Amino acid sequence: MTDPVRDPVLAAIRRRRVTRAMTDEPVARADVETILEAARWAPTAGNRHLQRFVATTHPGTMRVVRMVSPGMIARPPAAIVICVDRELAAQYGFRPDVPGPWIDVGTATATILLAAQAVGLGAGPVSSFSRAAVAVALDLPDGWSPELIVGLGHPAPVQPAPMSAGRRVTWRDLTRWVPEG
Ligand SMILES: Cc1cc2nc3c(=O)[nH]c(=O)nc-3n(C[C@H](O)[C@H](O)[C@H](O)COP(=O)(O)O)c2cc1C
């Protein structure tokens, strides 16, 4: 088995945690661009790249996004909103109920969280927000549905305790071997 202490990718995956409190320090646009460049390499269903990213470091825009996002507790000064281009998905023959485009949102999210850590930023996914209000606040093009927001910012020195899932889950708890043994 590869040693997670020696392998930098495994070590980064182990170290990543959601940032639950952020400072007001602005986020450099260049750092967001590095994260977006990483997100572009996330795997996508059929290699169709149906995700669209809406990025902002604008204080007024972030104020509105935070107002309509009750799940955004960290007060991030920047964000990437991961959308799905539903019109393009339909053109490629994806029915509205097929999971591929949603899974693409997940692969992009995981990549963005790790890339944020790599540039020294904190990050946290937010699914609790008003889709309609975010679409208006960000003037989203027709057909783009906002699915998940990743808040970005500099981690505050003191972090609230993570949500407790009870006892720590191990990979064995989540896995079943076939055949068993
Ligand atoms: C799909 C998804 C939606 C999430 N939505 C929220 C949210 O709305 N607000 C929030 O504070 N955290 C949200 N989270 C973060 C989880 O609560 C967090 O990943 C979990 O508690 C484990 O913490 P860790 O990533 O630091 O290990 C979300 C995570 C995922 C994957």
Side-chain angles (χ1 to χ4, degrees):
M1 197 193 286
T2 313
D3 181 355
V5 178
R6 296 225 184 108
D7 181 274
V9 176
L10 292 178
I13 290 168
R14 284 277 290 272
R15 204 170 56 243
R16 184 211 59 77
R17 292 278 68 79
V18 161
T19 303
R20 294 185 165 80
M22 297 179 186
T23 69
D24 294 336
E25 184 183 343
V27 168
R29 188 175 166 133
D31 284 342
V32 180
E33 288 180 358
T34 300
I35 295 167
L36 290 164
E37 159 64 7
R40 169 259 175 279
W41 290 100
T44 62
N47 206 17
R48 293 300 196 185
H49 291 279
L50 298 170
Q51 322 105 319
R52 295 292 177 268
F53 304 112
V54 181
T56 185
T57 59
H58 184 262
T61 305
M62 280 308 301
R63 208 171 303 124
V64 177
V65 169
R66 287 196 303 262
M67 270 168 46
V68 299
S69 304
M72 193 173 265
I73 50 178
R75 296 189 53 77
I80 297 172
V81 181
I82 306 172
C83 305
V84 171
D85 186 337
R86 293 280 162 203
E87 275 177 18
L88 191 59
Q91 282 171 29
Y92 280 131
F94 287 90
R95 290 193 323 269
D97 57 335
V98 300
W102 278 298
I103 295 170
D104 293 352
V105 173
T107 63
T109 302
T111 304
I112 287 170
L113 295 177
L114 286 169
Q117 174 174 262
V119 299
L121 289 175
V126 178
S127 55
S128 169
F129 64 92
S130 162
R131 268 74 183 152
V134 163
V136 171
L138 300 178
D139 195 20
L140 295 186
D142 284 348
W144 288 26
S145 62
E147 303 294 350
L148 197 116
I149 304 175
V150 182
L152 299 168
H154 297 271
V158 178
Q159 291 292 314
M163 270 178 219
S164 171
R167 157 183 95 75
R168 188 182 288 270
V169 177
T170 73
W171 68 266
R172 289 185 179 81
D173 298 324
L174 306 173
T175 308
R176 183 165 179 266
W177 285 103
V178 178
E180 220 174 288

